[in-house]
Amino acid sequence: EAGVTQFPSHSVIEKGQTVTLRCDPISGHDNLYWYRRVMGKEIKFLLHFVKESKQDESGMPNNRFLAERTGGTYSTLKVQPAELEDSGVYFCASSQDLTDGYTFGSGTRLTVV
Amino acid sequence: RKEVEQDPGPFNVPEGATVAFNCTYSNSASQSFFWYRQDCRKEPKLLMSVYSSGNEDGRFTAQLNRASQYISLLIRDSKLSDSATYLCVVNVMDSSYKLIFGSGTRLLVRP
């Protein structure tokens, strides 16, 4: 079974530019999550999709972040325009059941300079 | 106050030692509980779920005390390969289910 796949693995962009991160969940997993770890902090929730619907986006930092999951398969997370404080590792995770542990992708390390 | 509190460590132990990690959580809406392992620059990987009755997986034993809002992980006969950061994680239900992570406890197992 293929795991959760994220692309790119690394991205270095300048402040003010746009970056789009992609996540392919495990096939058949309705629940898809985005999390983020910024330097020196714990991993924090950003948002949760159930199929193509946003179930909870309470963790999104501000309106510079836009997540989509068209067709209920892969998801994208766009940051526009990027700021220095957006640097960190963005993890995607998926699960079949809401209370089970999730499977995480290997993350996208974003550096904004 | 953080929702999930862990001692950051590091715990530096010799091979073969037994080591215990503790974690407390503050959200009484916590539904399920986990220990994840994270290696340097890698993603978190589920180590084990944690149940009130206690559960064991080989050298690893996890325990949950809901009354005290306390979770523990015991590693027996430590191996060099156990060196990693151990994340205490709770699944909380508010507007949806979401995982709340502790900052992790770093374990170094030396030869």
Side-chain angles (χ1 to χ4, degrees), chain A residues 44-61:
Chain A
K44 286 202 170 174
F45 169 83
L46 295 179
L47 90 161
H48 171 204
F49 283 101
V50 177
K51 297 184 180 178
E52 68 274 11
S53 299
K54 287 178 189 173
Q55 186 73 19
D56 182 353
E57 53 184 332
S58 60
M60 295 286 260

Side-chain angles (χ1 to χ4, degrees), chain A residues 8-103:
Chain A
S9 56
H10 294 81
S11 180
V12 181
I13 61 171
E14 293 184 350
K15 177 182 169 180
Q17 289 186 321
T18 297
V19 63
T20 300
L21 315 181
R22 173 171 169 143
C23 169
D24 287 77
I26 291 173
S27 178
H29 280 191
D30 291 338
N31 297 287
L32 185 150
Y33 310 84
W34 284 97
Y35 284 79
R36 176 175 78 167
R37 184 171 208 160
V38 297
M39 181 84 75
K41 302 282 188 179
E42 63 272 16
I43 297 170
K44 286 202 170 174
F45 169 83
L46 295 179
L47 90 161
H48 171 204
F49 283 101
V50 177
K51 297 184 180 178
E52 68 274 11
S53 299
K54 287 178 189 173
Q55 186 73 19
D56 182 353
E57 53 184 332
S58 60
M60 295 286 260
N62 50 61
N63 60 9
R64 295 185 294 102
F65 289 74
L66 175 65
E68 294 179 322
R69 192 183 182 194
T70 308
T73 55
Y74 71 91
S75 174
T76 58
L77 178 64
K78 182 161 73 172
V79 185
Q80 179 184 31
E83 298 289 345
L84 298 178
E85 65 265 22
D86 301 332
S87 295
V89 183
Y90 290 77
F91 291 108
C92 176
S94 72
S95 71
Q96 186 52 49
D97 296 317
L98 291 172
T99 57
D100 286 350
Y102 310 163
T103 301

Side-chain angles (χ1 to χ4, degrees), chain B residues 17-51:
Chain B
T18 295
V19 61
F21 304 139
N22 304 317
C23 162
T24 56
Y25 62 95
S26 59
N27 193 325
S28 57
S30 299
Q31 302 285 318
S32 47
F33 307 86
F34 309 96
W35 284 100
Y36 275 76
R37 170 195 170 127
Q38 187 172 27
D39 293 285
C40 189
R41 291 185 168 260
K42 299 287 188 181
E43 72 274 21
K45 291 188 177 176
L46 180 63
L47 179 66
M48 58 198 303
S49 300
V50 190
Y51 305 107

